[in-house]
Amino acid sequence: MIKTLNGQWQFRRADEGTFRRATVPGCNFTDLMAEGLIPDPFYGLNERDCAFVGESDWVYEKSFTVTKNELSADAIRLCFDMLDTICDVFLNGTLVGKGENCHLRYTFDVKDILTEGENTVRVYFYSPVRYVERIYKKEGAPMNSNGQNGIVHIRKPQCHFGWDWGPVLPVSGIGDDIYLEMRSEGKIQEMKIRQKKNDDGSFTVTVKVDGEEKIDELIANGFSPLRMQQSPTLRKHLRNQYPLSSE
């Protein structure tokens, strides 16, 4: 079961107390533009007037409700398809994880932290500009002729820091879907199938399954990835001569 947390959020600069409306997925630049707080940074030299955005820390927050039935799931995870980029994630005031790479999907186990009724998720984004500056002082990197130096030290799109075709707009925000994933059964994370042709013309197929809770139970009860994928053409091609081993 998936419970989306997309939609209306609130955000503020970390050193200010007033929250304003935000939209997730999105970023601080688009939210500031929607609130009329910055001009269009793509027009003229407006990017210079928006430099403070990338130099500041930002806080995003949302309250949501969870029912007793939803809490009964065996496993509940808070999932982010993109966190851009350096951030701390809090649920009901408890630190549940950190983001360090906007190219990765993050999941955090939150079943023991959620409560029936209202809950609050908060993401504290650290300035990508200041982060790069700190690392660059310790570890050098090739110069960037179109923007900030040292950007190789942060795992976010390098063009956010300027390119020959674009302005310097180092955004922060929840750039893709955020949701609660509730499960009471096993989940297959990854499956690898390898085949080897034997001297007698038959094939040996090895299936490796990596998963979460109850994955061993699924296999013990007769789960067979290979059987699920069989087709008449495959069966004919392999002549049904393959042993199956699960790791």
Side-chain angles (χ1 to χ4, degrees), residues 19-90:
F19 275 103
R20 298 180 181 275
R21 291 176 297 178
T23 300
V24 171
C27 74
N28 49 0
F29 276 89
T30 54
D31 289 329
L32 288 167
M33 288 177 62
E35 290 292 295
L37 297 176
I38 61 171
D40 184 345
F42 288 97
Y43 183 81
L45 297 178
N46 285 345
E47 67 175 290
R48 297 179 180 178
D49 297 327
C50 301
F52 76 93
V53 180
E55 297 169 353
S56 303
D57 297 347
W58 297 87
V59 178
Y60 275 74
E61 189 173 291
K62 181 182 179 69
S63 294
F64 59 95
T65 59
V66 174
T67 66
K68 181 178 181 179
N69 182 59
E70 291 170 334
L71 281 177
S72 67
D74 289 340
I76 305 178
R77 287 177 171 77
L78 178 62
C79 305
F80 294 86
D81 286 346
M82 179 188 286
L83 281 169
D84 193 359
T85 294
I86 308 300
C87 62
D88 292 333
V89 179
F90 299 86

Side-chain angles (χ1 to χ4, degrees), residues 101-117:
N101 187 334
C102 85
H103 304 297
L104 297 179
R105 177 176 180 265
Y106 286 94
T107 62
F108 307 113
D109 190 352
V110 296
K111 178 175 172 60
D112 294 335
I113 302 173
L114 286 169
T115 61
E116 182 179 354

Side-chain angles (χ1 to χ4, degrees), residues 71-166:
L71 281 177
S72 67
D74 289 340
I76 305 178
R77 287 177 171 77
L78 178 62
C79 305
F80 294 86
D81 286 346
M82 179 188 286
L83 281 169
D84 193 359
T85 294
I86 308 300
C87 62
D88 292 333
V89 179
F90 299 86
L91 181 63
N92 295 335
T94 298
L95 177 67
V96 297
K98 296 175 177 290
E100 298 177 333
N101 187 334
C102 85
H103 304 297
L104 297 179
R105 177 176 180 265
Y106 286 94
T107 62
F108 307 113
D109 190 352
V110 296
K111 178 175 172 60
D112 294 335
I113 302 173
L114 286 169
T115 61
E116 182 179 354
E118 186 174 276
N119 296 264
T120 301
V121 58
R122 176 165 53 93
V123 184
Y124 188 108
F125 289 99
Y126 297 93
S127 162
V129 172
R130 303 304 183 205
Y131 175 85
V132 169
E133 287 177 346
R134 288 195 300 272
I135 303 299
Y136 185 61
K137 289 179 180 179
K138 299 178 183 178
E139 302 179 28
M143 292 186 62
N144 178 12
S145 60
N146 294 301
Q148 183 177 357
N149 292 327
I151 61 176
V152 295
H153 294 303
I154 188 171
R155 301 307 300 146
K156 84 189 259 87
Q158 303 291 274
C159 61
H160 288 180
F161 295 91
W163 217 264
D164 55 356
W165 46 261

